[in-house]
């Protein structure tokens, strides 16, 4: 695998509450691990929630002896949820903190994905395809036919999520798995990218043929050019290659 990760504060925020992680080498029994977390909460709470969630997930994966990647990711995310709740209850400055999370690993030629919230994983092959499903109020409205996909993009409630790490004692995690092909590119991102840049434009940038770090920077730049209203997190990976690339 070859991967790259980067975050940016954007043009409107003063604090970066997004946190990313990418390891092309084994983490515990997983051969690699990619994570994006988008924190929420006042003051330092959102920053703490996203960073702490990623730290707990990575630590839990390292210690898990299970070989099934879905079980490994489930245990790690559920543990992170419990620990975020405990940490928030022990410090009033962190009360109400939470975060989205999308985590992925590639085992042989299969991609395994887990997500909570509205941070996304896309697969770029012949065209761009969103693999995860947003846990958001607006996504539910689209699913029920109350609004169109186009109306959802600029809906005033589009930032209201229906699931988060740290929201309640039990967390419902969605899982996805799919086979990969040579040339596939994985994009994981926070809504600071997906709300600012249309999928078609994301695809165009990723297919520009540039190296992953330059592509990641171009995605960040485009989100900022379009307003940069939120923190921006990007993880890019070419899974079926043995090379390693650092941002």
């Amino acid at each position: 695998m070859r991967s790259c990760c980067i975050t940016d504060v954007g043009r409107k925020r003063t604090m970066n509450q997004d946190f990313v992680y990418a390891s092309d080498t084994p983490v515990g029994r997983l051969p690699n691990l990619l994570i994006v977390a988008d924190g929420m909460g006042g003051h330092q709470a959102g920053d703490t929630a996203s960073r702490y969630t990623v730290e707990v997930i990575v630590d839990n994966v390292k210690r898990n002896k299970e070989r099934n990647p879905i079980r490994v990711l489930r245990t790690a995310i559920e543990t992170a949820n419990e620990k975020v709740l405990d940490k928030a209850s022990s410090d009033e400055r962190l009360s109400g903190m939470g975060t989205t999370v999308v985590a992925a690993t590639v085992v042989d030629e299969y991609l395994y994905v887990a997500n909570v919230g509205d941070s996304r994983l896309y697969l770029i092959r012949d065209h761009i395809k969103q693999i995860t499903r947003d846990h958001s109020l607006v996504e539910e409205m689209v699913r029920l036919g109350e609004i169109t996909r186009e109306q959802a993009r600029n809906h005033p409630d589009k930032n209201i999520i229906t699931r988060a790490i740290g929201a309640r004692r039990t967390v419902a995690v969605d899982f996805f798995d799919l086979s990969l092909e040579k040339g596939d590119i994985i994009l994981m991102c926070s809504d600071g990218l997906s709300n600012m840049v249309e999928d078609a434009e994301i695809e165009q940038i990723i297919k520009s043929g540039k190296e992953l770090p330059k592509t990641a920077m171009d995605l960040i730049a485009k989100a900022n050019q379009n307003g940069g209203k939120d923190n921006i997190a990007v993880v890019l990976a070419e899974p079926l290659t043995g090379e390693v690339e650092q941002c």
Side-chain angles (χ1 to χ4, degrees), residues 144-181:
L144 295 171
E146 297 175 0
I147 60 174
T148 66
R149 180 66 62 188
E150 186 59 33
Q151 289 171 325
R153 185 154 193 89
N154 298 304
H155 197 281
D157 295 330
K158 67 180 180 181
N159 292 324
I160 299 176
I161 61 174
T162 55
R163 297 189 208 173
I165 300 297
R168 50 182 60 90
R169 187 54 61 177
T170 58
V171 60
V173 187
D174 280 357
F175 295 95
F176 307 86
D177 63 89
L178 62 153
S179 60
L180 295 168
E181 297 179 4

Side-chain angles (χ1 to χ4, degrees), residues 50-64:
S50 59
R51 183 180 67 254
Y52 186 56
T53 291
V54 173
E55 289 172 352
V56 172
I57 289 173
V58 172
D59 180 67
N60 192 271
V61 169
K62 286 179 178 178
R63 294 185 290 105
N64 195 324

Side-chain angles (χ1 to χ4, degrees), residues 55-226:
E55 289 172 352
V56 172
I57 289 173
V58 172
D59 180 67
N60 192 271
V61 169
K62 286 179 178 178
R63 294 185 290 105
N64 195 324
K65 302 304 181 184
E66 172 67 55
R67 292 189 178 276
N68 183 297
I70 294 295
R71 292 178 183 172
V72 173
L73 292 175
R74 180 190 297 278
T75 299
I77 291 172
E78 290 176 345
T79 301
N81 184 66
E82 294 172 2
K83 287 186 175 291
V84 167
L85 280 167
D86 291 343
K87 193 175 187 70
S89 65
S90 67
D91 187 340
E92 64 179 15
R93 294 171 299 178
L94 304 179
S95 178
M97 74 176 181
T99 185
T100 69
V101 69
V102 56
T105 186
V106 175
V107 182
D108 297 323
E109 296 182 357
Y110 286 87
L111 172 66
Y112 299 90
V113 187
N115 87 290
V116 178
D118 64 354
S119 293
R120 296 178 177 179
L121 184 144
Y122 291 91
L123 181 70
I124 295 86
R125 186 174 291 168
D126 298 324
H127 60 274
I128 188 169
K129 180 180 180 181
Q130 183 180 339
I131 303 302
T132 54
R133 186 181 69 183
D134 296 352
H135 301 139
S136 67
L137 178 62
V138 166
E139 182 64 26
E140 288 300 310
M141 294 168 71
V142 171
R143 187 179 64 82
L144 295 171
E146 297 175 0
I147 60 174
T148 66
R149 180 66 62 188
E150 186 59 33
Q151 289 171 325
R153 185 154 193 89
N154 298 304
H155 197 281
D157 295 330
K158 67 180 180 181
N159 292 324
I160 299 176
I161 61 174
T162 55
R163 297 189 208 173
I165 300 297
R168 50 182 60 90
R169 187 54 61 177
T170 58
V171 60
V173 187
D174 280 357
F175 295 95
F176 307 86
D177 63 89
L178 62 153
S179 60
L180 295 168
E181 297 179 4
K182 187 73 173 178
D184 285 351
I185 297 178
I186 296 165
L187 166 67
M188 296 162 62
C189 65
S190 63
D191 63 353
L193 178 70
S194 57
N195 282 346
M196 290 288 102
V197 187
E198 296 281 356
D199 287 4
E201 194 165 20
I202 291 174
E203 178 182 356
Q204 183 180 14
I205 293 170
I206 289 175
K207 287 185 173 181
S208 65
K210 298 177 182 178
E211 296 297 321
L212 291 186
K214 179 62 170 118
T215 301
M217 291 298 297
D218 285 350
L219 290 169
I220 296 284
K222 179 56 67 173
N224 280 325
Q225 181 182 323
N226 290 351

